Amino acid sequence: MTVRRVNVVILVLLAIAFLIILHRNLLNLNDFLKQENSDTVPGMVLPFETDLLSGHKVIRTGEEIPVLITAPEERLGAAVTAMNSIYSNSKANVVFNIVTLNESVVHLRTWLSKTDLKHKIIIFDPKILAGKISNDPQKVEAVKPLTFARFYMPVFLPDAEKAIYLDDDVIVQGDIRELFDTSLKFGHAAAFSEDCDSSSSKGMVRGAGNQNSYIGFLDFKKEAIKKLGMRANTCSFNPGVFVANLTEWKQQNITSQLEFWMEHNAKEDLYSKTLADSITTPPMLIVFYKHHSNIDPMWHVRHLGATGAGNRYSAQFVKAAKLLHWNGHYKPWGRTSSFSDIWDKWYIPDPTGKFHTIRRHAEEK
């Protein structure tokens, strides 16, 4: 009996030793695979920073609403202001997934520590864009890496089935849950607001950056574009605000499709010569051609950053809008902008003093 017990104990110890060795090998394999794939991952997600919320209001619970937004160093104030407007106008459990560059992390953390925003910080690696953007020195200098973060939503939000992408130059006046609840048609990976039939198309100013059809973004003289059989007068959409079905996005390999057209353009220059800064729009127009759902136009009232925006919209209309977008040259934190008082309402001053609105700074002087 004693011998049997000894044998059982020995067997148990051997089994435990085997499991420990197996566990260590699996961890090593996982680390190896991460290293092997490091060149193909566009960014790194930092741990959820619940410590920053200690001492603030109770963290909201319930279904999470993932919102992806970018935060370049020179526009951190824009991102924080946009997020504050979302948080203040909704009781939903919004989680902000903020994509930034490594050099901005400390600054961003310091700023967010003064807020109640539930967030994750994602460090974007610009190396992922190698071979996907033009080698022309003049064009490379104008390219802002973070503008392509929207292409990699499923990578940054691996557990989310649905999410919202927002540019940083927006203010949300409605409940973000309403936008999140937008119904997408079967097989559609995203929902946008089209340029032709939206409220924003009224009084459209023609010119670079204000196009409202495909011909304004793509060079239809190029053979690669001709072969697609797209109609040049098809209504375009603005990808600065959209709702994504990430399950469909992954199944349809949307990210790979977008990268394909980025690489194609880098070699053959497929985009329109009149294109302004909207270099992320052309590949999205191609990939989502007649295969996307629509969001309520009041959830993307745009062109507030264009010349004459103050004359295009009435104060009553702007007040009723669910989301305002200052796409265009004039930003609400800049020297001159229409309806900048609305943006000021949600602005949280930078505790480090690095970021300040140009308009206010000029007045103080």
Side-chain angles (χ1 to χ4, degrees):
M1 190 72 177
T2 303
V3 175
R4 282 187 179 181
R5 287 182 177 176
V6 170
N7 288 338
V8 170
V9 170
I10 292 173
L11 287 172
V12 170
L13 291 174
L14 287 172
I16 292 173
F18 172 77
L19 290 174
I20 291 173
I21 293 170
L22 179 62
H23 178 67
R24 286 179 177 174
N25 287 338
L26 288 173
L27 287 177
N28 291 335
L29 177 60
N30 184 50
D31 290 339
F32 172 76
L33 290 174
K34 284 183 178 178
Q35 292 172 1
E36 285 294 294
N37 293 322
S38 61
D39 292 338
T40 62
V41 178
M44 176 178 69
V45 182
L46 299 183
F48 174 54
E49 299 166 349
T50 51
D51 58 304
L52 294 181
L53 295 175
S54 59
H56 290 269
K57 297 178 182 178
V58 178
I59 298 175
R60 299 174 183 182
T61 58
E63 180 190 16
E64 287 190 354
I65 296 180
V67 173
L68 190 79
I69 190 169
T70 60
E73 179 65 27
E74 70 278 8
R75 294 167 64 133
L76 288 188
V80 173
T81 303
M83 291 186 288
N84 186 39
S85 72
I86 295 169
Y87 179 86
S88 301
N89 287 301
S90 176
K91 294 181 179 179
N93 184 20
V94 183
V95 178
F96 297 101
N97 300 269
I98 312 163
V99 186
T100 192
L101 299 177
N102 191 51
E103 57 265 28
S104 301
V105 172
V106 175
H107 187 186
L108 182 58
R109 275 177 167 164
T110 302
W111 206 331
L112 292 172
S113 69
K114 305 300 180 182
T115 74
D116 299 313
L117 304 176
K118 188 175 180 180
H119 64 277
K120 299 175 185 176
I121 295 178
I122 302 166
I123 301 175
F124 187 80
D125 185 359
K127 292 179 181 177
I128 194 67
L129 302 178
K132 302 180 182 69
I133 55 178
S134 174
N135 291 321
D136 185 332
Q138 292 183 335
K139 293 182 179 180
V140 170
E141 188 176 345
V143 170
K144 297 175 176 59
L146 291 177
T147 193
F148 296 100
R150 71 197 81 188
F151 292 2
Y152 300 96
M153 287 184 73
V155 180
F156 297 142
L157 306 171
D159 300 321
E161 296 181 359
K162 191 177 185 181
I164 296 170
Y165 170 82
L166 298 176
D167 276 352
D168 59 10
D169 52 353
V170 304
I171 287 294
V172 174
Q173 300 185 128
D175 187 337
I176 198 69
R177 179 177 291 280
E178 184 181 330
L179 179 60
F180 184 73
D181 288 341
T182 297
S183 178
L184 276 70
K185 294 180 181 178
F186 179 78
H188 286 183
F192 306 91
S193 177
E194 293 191 341
D195 292 323
C196 303
D197 58 358
S198 72
S199 305
S200 300
S201 67
K202 295 176 182 178
M204 179 71 74
V205 178
R206 296 287 178 178
N210 260 343
Q211 303 93 333
N212 66 353
S213 62
Y214 271 50
I215 197 170
F217 294 91
L218 296 163
D219 188 348
F220 278 80
K221 294 179 181 179
K222 295 295 175 71
E223 194 61 30
I225 300 300
K226 286 182 179 180
K227 287 182 178 179
L228 293 174
M230 301 184 299
R231 294 179 63 88
N233 63 348
T234 300
C235 184
S236 56
F237 55 79
N238 184 302
V241 175
F242 65 88
V243 180
N245 178 334
L246 297 181
T247 302
E248 282 292 339
W249 191 295
K250 287 182 279 192
Q251 288 179 350
Q252 297 177 32
N253 294 315
I254 298 295
T255 297
S256 296
Q257 292 186 56
L258 292 168
E259 289 183 321
F260 171 81
W261 286 107
M262 287 172 68
E263 293 170 357
H264 215 339
N265 175 67
K267 297 173 183 176
E268 299 185 28
D269 202 15
L270 304 177
Y271 302 166
S272 171
K273 298 296 185 296
T274 63
L275 193 64
D277 298 325
S278 306
I279 55 176
T280 54
T281 303
M284 296 193 81
L285 292 179
I286 294 173
V287 172
F288 289 104
Y289 179 70
K290 293 190 175 180
H291 196 66
H292 65 83
S293 298
N294 297 315
I295 63 175
D296 183 340
M298 293 301 283
W299 269 104
H300 195 180
V301 173
R302 47 199 178 278
H303 307 307
L304 270 70
T307 303
N311 298 322
R312 183 181 306 160
Y313 303 121
S314 68
Q316 292 79 5
F317 176 77
V318 169
K319 185 178 180 180
K322 303 293 183 67
L323 183 148
L324 302 172
H325 188 184
W326 278 265
N327 62 311
H329 181 69
Y330 302 101
K331 303 302 181 184
W333 59 89
R335 291 190 182 280
T336 309
S337 173
S338 299
F339 307 107
S340 57
D341 57 312
I342 296 176
W343 188 89
D344 288 343
K345 181 180 178 181
W346 307 109
Y347 175 64
I348 299 174
D350 181 1
T352 71
K354 295 178 181 178
F355 180 95
H356 52 76
T357 60
I358 297 175
R359 176 170 28 84
R360 285 183 175 181
H361 193 63
E363 291 173 357
E364 290 172 1
K365 287 184 176 181

